[in-house]
Amino acid sequence: MQQMPSIPPDALEVHRERVAGSWNILDGGVLVAAGLPVPIAGTDGCHDFHVHGDHFYLTGMNVPGQVLAFDPDDGFTFFARMSASDDRVWEGSPPSLDTVRGWTGLERVFPREALFAWIEARRQNPIAVLGNRDILTSPAGYEVPELDELWLTEDTGRTARLAHHIAAARRVKDPAELKVMRDSAAACRAGHLRAMRMATQGMTERELAVEIEAEFRRRGARRPAYHTIVAAGRNGAVLHCTPTDKPFRNGELVTVDAGAEVDGYMSDVTRSFPVSGVFTPEQRDIYSLLLAVQEAAVNTVRPGVEFRELHLMVCVELARGLVDLGILTGAPESLVERDAHALFFPHGLGHMIGIATHDVGGYLADRQPSDRFGLKWLRMDQPLKPGHVVTIEPGLYFIEALLTDSKRREEFADAVNFDAAERLLDFGGIRIEDDVICTEDEPEVLTAGIPKTIDDLEAACR
Ligand code: GLY
Ligand code: MN
Ligand code: MN
């Protein structure tokens, strides 16, 4: 059931003013739907409900089937779900309209049955459909009759333009949002500390994931921010490894990529540490390389820095380290130009984070992801600004699928010592990920309290 939003009404009002100001529309209107529960096929159950981020950003509400509407004459109007008495038996009673007004700061709050009239009154005018577009395909879920002609006035060009503006507004987090993100980071820290304390030979990836997620929830999380990754040994080279029943063995590294959702805001952190609690000399060498590069990248988060350039700088430094380790041969800059480093660091340096783990607005509207091997999984391309919150998450992996690929072996025969790389398949992979606020000055690392130096990790594992 909906509880009082953690973002106060005056901050929600600022979100709405910022967005409506950038929309600058003179006629017609906008719908921003929360979304409907997604049924689990073949059952009478539904997946856990995830409200659309744009609806949440503007209202703080996370109830399925509600709609925020906007038009230039009346401004914002909220259509609240008023449960039938049978629904109240199963789901409890929704907040009253006055409660919704108090929580959201919205004045125009009506029962949802009034939504259809609002749409009908604007039938001949251009409407943008933002939020969850299931309102187009399942209008009955919003108490709007299925009428073929109902949606003919959607102006898809307007929808695209307005969606871009709301994504731009969501990029810069305000103090109320940052406060919640600090709470999310604190829950995240507790889960990671528990993982370091609990991991031991014989325990499985899945058992450790349960410990982490339980700790998140004890610290106020509603749920994990995304599917928790726990990967030991070779599994560490699987970027989004779903935890398995594989028991940990001393000598292996465990990579935990886990974040919490607290009051609608996400954290996203990765740490790699030894099952035994002590790094082997080889693990130390590779880990130290990654840590030095990650810390340098975090300290480079400053206004004006192009994230793509930062990504490429990290690639060069990782390539330099791999040359020193005898895995790559050549000048680091040229290795990166031909994407040889991407065999060992195929993903991007990071992404924006906020209401979504991979938050909206990563690319400026006039920039597109590259199809280059070393850039195609980069989720962000824009200059950093104060208020941006980004992850910085370089990794180093020895990925069987890449190292045994005959085309790549041929292409990179002169650049990669494949024998040396293959000897590290059991090393798996490591990643270090923090959530970082770009400020006017020094970056603020939301997740700084989570151990990541070798000494701190070994102490936390004890
Ligand atoms: N856990 C997903 C990511 O790091 O992007
Ligand atoms: Mn991430
Ligand atoms: Mn992550």
Side-chain angles (χ1 to χ4, degrees):
M1 283 201 304
Q2 169 87 44
Q3 293 174 294
M4 189 169 82
S6 54
I7 304 293
D10 54 342
L12 294 168
E13 184 64 34
V14 170
H15 292 183
R16 291 189 293 268
E17 277 171 9
R18 190 191 285 171
V19 167
S22 67
W23 280 346
N24 189 27
I25 55 174
L26 305 173
D27 60 359
V30 187
L31 296 172
V32 190
L36 297 169
V38 177
I40 300 172
T43 77
D44 64 353
C46 287
H47 294 282
D48 202 14
F49 176 67
H50 288 253
V51 68
H52 194 284
D54 290 344
H55 181 89
F56 183 77
Y57 178 73
L58 296 170
T59 66
M61 299 291 284
N62 61 14
V63 176
Q66 303 201 123
V67 177
L68 180 69
F70 175 83
D71 74 85
D73 295 330
D74 292 338
F76 285 101
T77 306
F78 189 74
F79 296 98
R81 204 172 113 195
M82 302 281 100
S83 303
S85 64
D86 275 4
D87 289 343
R88 291 178 190 210
V89 173
W90 294 92
E91 295 167 10
S93 297
S96 70
L97 298 181
D98 271 339
T99 301
V100 173
R101 287 185 189 106
W103 283 354
T104 63
L106 286 155
E107 282 164 22
R108 297 173 48 79
V109 177
F110 299 104
R112 196 178 56 178
E113 63 192 16
L115 172 60
F116 182 47
W118 188 96
I119 293 169
E120 284 241 293
R122 290 157 185 81
R123 180 77 65 86
Q124 301 311 319
N125 301 301
I127 301 281
V129 183
L130 300 181
N132 196 319
R133 293 174 60 80
D134 62 0
I135 193 170
L136 295 175
T137 49
S138 307
Y142 293 87
E143 278 180 69
V144 175
E146 307 251 4
L147 291 179
D148 284 348
E149 70 274 26
L150 180 60
W151 301 110
L152 291 182
T153 57
E154 184 191 1
D155 177 339
T156 52
R158 170 182 283 195
T159 297
R161 184 175 69 79
L162 271 48
H164 162 67
H165 283 301
I166 194 167
R170 281 176 56 184
R171 280 189 191 123
V172 175
K173 275 65 181 176
D174 51 45
E177 295 182 285
L178 292 176
K179 178 175 177 301
V180 183
M181 292 193 76
R182 287 192 184 92
D183 293 342
S184 183
C188 186
R189 172 173 180 270
H192 278 268
L193 286 175
R194 186 161 183 88
M196 290 164 195
R197 241 186 346 261
M198 299 287 295
T200 181
Q201 168 148 277
M203 187 178 209
T204 68
E205 293 170 348
R206 202 173 288 153
E207 284 166 349
L208 194 63
V210 168
E211 294 292 338
I212 295 163
E213 293 179 6
E215 193 64 22
F216 286 167
R217 288 181 150 100
R218 276 193 284 271
R219 300 301 178 112
R222 174 174 175 188
R223 56 192 168 195
Y226 49 89
H227 293 293
T228 298
I229 295 167
V230 178
R234 275 189 183 225
N235 286 352
V238 180
L239 298 183
H240 279 174
C241 178
T242 313
T244 70
D245 282 335
K246 184 183 122 56
F248 301 145
R249 286 193 328 237
N250 281 336
E252 288 177 334
L253 293 172
V254 189
T255 289
V256 172
D257 182 346
E261 175 183 332
V262 173
D263 293 337
Y265 284 80
M266 309 302 168
S267 43
D268 178 8
V269 165
T270 309
R271 292 291 186 265
S272 299
F273 53 85
V275 170
S276 70
V278 181
F279 285 83
T280 66
E282 183 175 67
Q283 289 167 349
R284 273 180 172 259
D285 288 346
I286 302 174
Y287 188 88
S288 303
L289 158 62
L290 182 64
L291 179 63
V293 174
Q294 198 262 1
E295 287 182 328
V298 167
N299 289 326
T300 310
V301 169
R302 289 283 193 296
V305 169
E306 285 282 353
F307 200 78
R308 188 176 184 275
E309 297 307 314
L310 186 54
H311 169 81
L312 288 169
M313 182 194 95
V314 160
C315 296
V316 169
E317 293 314 311
L318 289 178
R320 194 183 314 283
L322 290 169
V323 170
D324 293 343
L325 291 170
I327 293 163
L328 289 176
T329 319
E333 289 79 4
S334 344
L335 288 165
V336 170
E337 265 162 36
R338 53 191 286 211
D339 291 330
H341 71 285
L343 290 170
F344 306 97
F345 173 43
H347 60 77
L349 177 63
H351 48 85
M352 310 202 97
I353 180 166
I355 293 171
T357 301
H358 295 162
D359 211 11
V360 293
Y363 275 72
L364 289 186
D366 57 356
R367 299 187 188 183
Q368 298 296 324
S370 158
D371 54 9
R372 243 179 81 178
F373 175 40
L375 285 172
K376 68 179 176 179
W377 286 319
L378 181 61
R379 295 183 195 274
M380 182 166 167
D381 186 2
Q382 63 183 292
L384 290 166
K385 283 191 184 162
H388 284 179
V389 185
V390 297
T391 67
I392 298 291
E393 52 175 306
L396 278 173
Y397 314 88
F398 300 91
I399 302 172
E400 196 178 0
L402 294 178
L403 297 180
T404 60
D405 181 88
S406 55
K407 275 214 193 98
R408 297 201 195 273
R409 288 182 79 105
E410 204 175 304
E411 181 183 354
F412 296 114
D414 60 323
V416 178
N417 180 343
F418 280 99
D419 289 342
E422 279 190 81
R423 277 197 293 278
L424 287 162
L425 285 172
D426 282 337
F427 175 96
I430 52 179
R431 178 164 62 255
I432 306 175
E433 174 172 27
D434 282 302
D435 304 346
V436 184
I437 309 175
C438 179
T439 76
E440 297 285 355
D441 191 24
E442 299 272 304
E444 178 186 340
V445 184
L446 285 170
T447 50
I450 306 177
K452 70 176 174 183
T453 65
I454 288 182
D455 285 350
D456 287 351
L457 282 172
E458 290 188 344
C461 290
R462 242 171 252 141

